[in-house]
Amino acid sequence: MRMERVDWPGDILTLVAQEASALVELLCEQNSGVLDRIFALVEPKTLDHRQSLTNTRDRVSAIVDYFKSSDRNSCRQFLTIVYQYSENIPLLLETTLVSIAGYTPGKPCSSSQNHKHLFYHLQSYMDALKSMVLQKYESVAQAVVKDIRLEDTWVYLRHRNPPRGKDRTIQPQASLDNHEGEESEHKVSVESLLKTTSRVVTLLGQAGSGKTLLVHCLGRDWAEGSFPSIHLLFLLEFRQLNLISRDLSLKELLFLFYPACDDDEEQSDAVFEFILSNPEKVCFIFDGYDEFRAKLTHPEKLESINDPNKPLPLTDLLSGLCSRRFLPDCTVLVTCRPRDVTDMFGSPGFITCELQGFDRLGVKEYAEQYFHKKGDELKKKAVNLLMNNRHLLSMSHVPGLCHICCVCMEHLFSSDGTDLQLPTSLTQIYMQIILAFLKRINGGVVSGTSPLQRYRSKIVEMSQLALKGLEESTIVFMDTDVSPELQEFGVKSGILSCVKLTREDGSSGYGFTFMHLTMQEFLAALHLMTSQNITESQLKKKLNLKTRWTTKIDPKSVFTDSLHVYVCGLAAEACKSSLVQLKGAEGTTAWVQKRQATVRNVLLGFAGSTSQTGPKIVELCRCAHETQDAKLARAIGSRPQFELRNIRLNAVDMDSLAFVTAAADQNVCLDIGGCSIDPDCLEILPSFKNVDHLIFRSRKYDDKFAEALCGILRKLQALQKLDIALQCVFLFSKECICFSENLHSVSENGVDMDGVVMLASAICNQKNLRKVDASENGKKKLVLWFDTSRRHNSRQLTTNVTGIHLHKKLSLTRSDIKPVYMTKLCKQLVKCENLLDIDLSHVDLSTNGALLLIRSLADCQRVTAVELRHQAEAFIKFVPEKAEAAICKLTEYKLCKSNVEKLSRILENCPRLSELDLSHNLLHDEGVKCFVDYLPKLKISSSVSLTGNQITQVGALHLVNSMNTCEKVVAVEVSLGVEDQSLIKFVQEHVNGKTLRLRECSFEVIHLKKLVEIVNRCPRLLTLELSSNSLHSQGLFSLLDSLVELSTIQTVKLRSNGLSSEQIEYFVKKLSSCHQHRDTRIEEPWLTGNAVASLIAKCLNLQPHIKEISVNRASINIITEGNSRPRSTFVGHSENFSPALQSISFDDCDIEGQHLAPLTLPIQKCHALQDLRFSQLKVDRKGADFFSAVIPFLRNLRNLTLDLKGAAEDEVATLMAALPKTTSFESLRCVVFLLTPLSKFKVILTQNIYVSFHSCSGWTAARGRDLVRGLVQCVSLAEIRLDSVILDEEGITILAQGFSRLTSLRRLSLNKIRVVTSETFVNGTGILCLLASFKGFRQMEEIELESWRIGDSGTYELVKYIPSWTELVKLSLSENQFGQQGSMSLCEGLMSMKALKILHLTSIGSSDLVGVASSLKHCPSIEDVSLSWNLCDDSLARTLAEILPLCTKLKRLDLEANNITTAGATVIAKCLPSCPSIEVIRLWRNPIAKEDENLKDQRLNFSSV
């Protein structure tokens, strides 16, 4: 017997495509014989390719794909074979195959018939189920004003990080910075929610957002065939599930609400067997979890479910489905409010999406549809009113509230009277809705009695029912709970809706619900505010602020948590008359006012709390907005910052925040970082009157959001600072030019390099964009600063209002920049026409990327510096005009030879290069040679540094050779020691000849020979310096011989090379054969004391051509004349010749008198000696005898300088007695630390000698008096320094009388002299008498009078003589006490000091030095000014900023320890570009924020040194 084939009603190819995955799974489990039969149906060419696949699943998939595109007959044959020969075919697939293939031998007839029977049961139930689902849709959609198209209805798919804890344990800022709990979103259509099966979807939406309508629309579309992969769809409502109290199995639950046809048990068994076998074909929709009284059981607490027919508590059963503990492949869609999403336990495949409500266009379209049939005039009037009223529009973004607003407006427009009073809060709208519903009862007929009064008893009863249901979590009332009269009143008015119920025993009935949950809450609030039975204490308990941050342990609530909002709204003055009417008793007005005041006082208490979290602050603002109480709003707005975190802000929230901030008495910061907010809500921002700082920081904000915000910001008059999300920044860089401070983003959105390039373009092209900080690619922090001076001067492109170019900065620190993007970046940066600094510090630049940046030196003539240190400090600097010189630094990279060649070719095109630094690049000898070969082609004006490149002596010689190969090289410095330094210097102005410095090179003989060859070819006179070079004896003598022979050498410096006395003597002796001028400097640590004295004596004997010898500490400097006489005239007969020595000096080299004996005979022969100097010489009897023996032979001696230590009076007398009496002797400079009185000192101070005398401190007044008595007898004195000397009244008088005769005095230092006499004399006549004695000075060059306590009168006396001191270069009056008159006198004196270079006025007791500073412009030679320790304020700074550009030679300005602030320092800093001569301005110990962006000039010194 053969069962007849049943033709498949649809396209058989579509069937194969639909069941492809099931067919693949089935065939992969079959034996090879089944596959061979199928392969026989395939064309040979195609079969060869598919059989070549080694993996079985790949071969099977390829075969199924083949039949998906074959003809119908082949496809039918394929399915027939699958059905006939396959084993363990799933029920649904077998039911489908049997309808196509029919019965054939090999398949039992009973099995085939059984499957067909099951198929008919399933098909019959599916038809019935679709009919029931459509009936539900028609019931729900009765009041819908417009068709719902699911493909055009959008939800936001949310990808959430780990959920937040409860708000009281949250630290919002930390969470925001880590994006913990923050969600990213993208839009999908509602239709797509069921396109993908086998997942759990939670659809969120606030009350009235349309969740119920949309899921019924999904059911409708399924019933109409839109989701073919879903065979069964069950839509269950939680409000119905609330009526079930007993345990149920899944089968009982489903067939309770969707029974089988005629309660056919066989059909229900067949359908449930299908459900268990094919869960992926089944969808469950649970609508309104927020209305469910219980909470789902946590999956971890569920018992193992083995028997699907076992009855379970409803919470366990639903939790098992939602958490996929059973039927794991089924599709589940649950709708709930956002706060209840924490009960969804995040099973695999868990998806969360949220309805966003209407945008502005959606509101308009809905209103137009609502009023479509109510007349064009009313439609136009109502729509315009709705769109232009901010309060109504903000509420209408929620679809349910939009409908309520339309009902409200229809009622208002139909009321009598022309004075239309629009509601200003949600509560007032609901009050109008009540009036509109009451109007329906009499068919719209209006009588003289107020509707609230006429139906007061029914409204009171209705509000009691509402509150009772709220307290008992009841939203569906049985018909027995509502009186027949109230049922009639409620249904007739529209306040109540009659609903069909299915009881747990399967019977049907009717119940009643309020037209919306929010209406039930409003009526409950109405009862709280009008019932005498509700005490104030009970009322206050209802006024708890609700949070939007929830956890799984929070109690379940089936309501929208809006009760407290409506209670607050009823406390508004506008609701008082309605409450009075509903109260309806004597003394009602006072009672109502008291109740309203109670509510406002509770809110005032909340306003004073500083511990409110962001969500509760929003709720508090909503409550304040509902009350419309300005005092309450002002109290809430007194907080400096509104910090909101990770909640969704709707239009009503924004409207409430605007109401509160507009009422504040101060500017506030609104921080809504991480909050979800729709672009349409931004239109409310202009109402935020006092918000000066606005923060948007989240990965959610996209270009659409940025575009909307750009159009709004110009309307925010108080806004000074904006922090915004990363994605929005680029749009702002093009659109926004009105910010007064900065735009700042903190976010981890991960800007790509295209975005960084766009930022570079923005800073180049945006006229007011001053700084961009996009460190780490902007992933953690992105900051944009805008120039405040341009806010009202937008026409200027490159200069600000003062005409100075705007200094721009782009920071890309710690970013990852690949070469391809570096090229794009460079192309943008070279376009900038402003001062621009680009910070690339710690950027992991590749070598090629770095070279691309260096190319900017050639591509843009405005680049003044490129400094790149690998993964460390790095920057590029641009100037507005063509740069006169540029600096290039590329350090700590690893440059191979090809890199060096590429770099050199780039630098060939840089004609303005001043400095090049290639330090620490591991060039080695090969890289250095490559660079030196290119060096002649490079146009470098100052220097090249190749330090730290690990070169050897060979590399050092390559560098030395550059002096020959490159004509511009004038100096080479190489150190191969610890310092590892290599420098090349180029031709400089006033530099003649070339210099070679080699330190710690440890040359071998072969290297020294090569060195001599190189140096011998040097075209110009050469200075050669060899320091710390360890030379072997053979190499050393060879080198010394070569140095003598090198005709190019003019100066030789040998420092710390381990030379012995014999080697130095050998070298000096060799120099006698040199026929040119030679300057030789030798430094060794042992060259002190007796050793150096003996060596100098030998040198004088060996080399008669020495012109000068100077010994300073451990070094000697010997200058020899050219030798034109034959060498033989000198050797062996040196004692017969008079050396040409003209000058000899010993400075601080530990020489004592006893060491001088070897020098006696050599110096006696130096008849040409003109200058003799001994410094720090300890004189004893042998020393005095040396001078007695030597000086008489020095007939040409002109200058004698003696700095003597510990000289006794007899030794000094002996020394002075030996002084020349010749007319050629001009000058004696003597510093004496005398150990005995100066009774004989006056003997040596003859009047025909030009003498400069220094004395010292530590004497008694008697010794001081003795000193000055001798000094004043020497009228030829040129300098007197009596610092810290002690003088009495007689000594002062002697000094004053003597000054009148010292007309040759040029330098006078009387710092800190101590006068031991009366205060009157010191402060009065004594000081003035001494100052008056200055009148005779005519050649004064320097005068120092520190710590004299010169007052105003003394300053006046001193200044009188200043005009006659035309050569005065230094004036130091520090640590005196000036008053205002003294300062004025000094100002007058400064006007005549044309030669003054140094002015020190440290701690002069006057903070008003503005006049002194202003007078500096009359001192054209001024170089050094100290105004420190005077507590001067910013007025001095402003004056200095004006005059500093006029002081063209000023190098140093000391402003330490004043009271100059950051503002004053900034003024000074801004003038520095016009002051090129200034080297340092000291600002230590001033109240200055030295990290300020405007104080980065390196010449501003904030340290103690």
Side-chain angles (χ1 to χ4, degrees), residues 185-242:
E185 305 173 341
H186 67 273
K187 287 199 308 184
V188 297
S189 67
V190 174
E191 181 187 43
S192 69
L193 298 182
L194 296 186
K195 286 290 186 182
T196 303
T197 58
S198 301
R199 63 180 183 177
V200 179
V201 180
T202 304
L203 178 60
L204 308 180
Q206 58 183 307
S209 60
K211 302 184 295 295
T212 296
L213 176 60
L214 288 177
V215 295
H216 280 84
C217 289
L218 284 169
R220 174 202 65 191
D221 285 9
W222 169 77
E224 295 175 352
S226 293
F227 307 107
S229 60
I230 297 175
H231 287 212
L232 297 175
L233 183 147
F234 298 95
L235 199 163
L236 302 172
E237 297 172 319
F238 278 102
R239 62 169 54 185
Q240 291 271 8
L241 298 178
N242 281 331

Side-chain angles (χ1 to χ4, degrees), residues 1035-1076:
L1036 177 60
F1037 283 105
S1038 175
L1039 175 64
L1040 295 177
D1041 288 339
S1042 299
L1043 291 179
V1044 174
E1045 299 298 330
L1046 288 173
S1047 60
T1048 59
I1049 295 180
Q1050 181 182 30
T1051 302
V1052 177
K1053 299 179 180 179
L1054 303 174
R1055 294 177 176 173
S1056 303
N1057 290 298
L1059 298 180
S1060 65
S1061 177
E1062 292 76 10
Q1063 291 166 337
I1064 294 175
E1065 292 175 29
Y1066 174 83
F1067 182 56
V1068 173
K1069 181 178 180 181
K1070 285 288 184 178
L1071 285 175
S1072 64
S1073 62
C1074 182
H1075 303 289
Q1076 65 181 50

